Amino acid sequence: MTSSRPYLIRALYEWIVDSECTPHMLVNAEYPGVQVPPGFVSDGQIVLNVAPGAVRNLQLGNDAVSFDGRFGGVPHNLHVPCAAVMAIYARENGQGMVFEIEPTPPEDTPDGDGPVPEGEGNRPAGRPSLKVVK
């Protein structure tokens, strides 16, 4: 089944903006595929102001949130996979939603052939052996 997280992010974003509040997202900056300015990350997390007046080209997609923003006056292109969004809330009153932490996707194998199938990375070398248990 498709994740409900991107749909909830969009709905809460719209609700916060319609309520004339400032939407902020708490992001796991260490999640694979996250592109945020590293100088603004604290304890592996970053809070992003995603208000319409603070960002440009905001895309709230099913896979990721992306936009152009400025940090310290320097423009940056940000990309955040939806699984890395830990919360979305209104700055003024804290109302919003905290999401469960999603597991990090499996990493590619060293030869680049994709993820290691479950149970294949821990096979002992040598000949298999069976033991009779009574």
Side-chain angles (χ1 to χ4, degrees):
M1 182 174 239
T2 305
S3 172
S4 61
R5 187 178 300 220
Y7 300 93
L8 292 169
I9 291 170
R10 284 192 293 271
L12 287 162
Y13 176 86
E14 188 174 325
W15 172 67
I16 293 167
V17 171
D18 286 351
S19 299
E20 298 180 2
C21 291
T22 309
H24 281 201
M25 286 185 188
L26 176 63
V27 174
N28 175 359
E30 296 173 346
Y31 194 87
V34 172
Q35 296 173 358
V36 295
F40 294 88
V41 173
S42 176
D43 295 327
Q45 301 175 353
I46 187 169
V47 176
L48 303 173
N49 176 353
V50 289
V55 300
R56 291 182 185 250
N57 304 321
L58 178 65
Q59 298 291 317
L60 299 170
N62 285 343
D63 297 323
V65 175
S66 61
F67 59 92
D68 299 325
R70 297 178 76 80
F71 289 80
V74 179
H76 292 272
N77 185 297
L78 288 85
H79 179 84
V80 177
C82 288
V85 177
M86 300 167 66
I88 180 168
Y89 60 93
R91 178 184 68 194
E92 291 78 3
N93 57 21
Q95 291 188 5
M97 181 177 280
V98 176
F99 299 104
E100 289 185 19
I101 295 175
E102 295 238 349
T104 305
E107 293 186 25
D108 286 348
T109 57
D111 60 1
D113 287 341
V116 177
E118 193 171 317
E120 285 200 16
N122 54 6
R123 286 189 188 163
R127 194 170 166 194
S129 63
L130 297 174
K131 195 188 296 187
V132 177
V133 179
K134 293 184 183 184

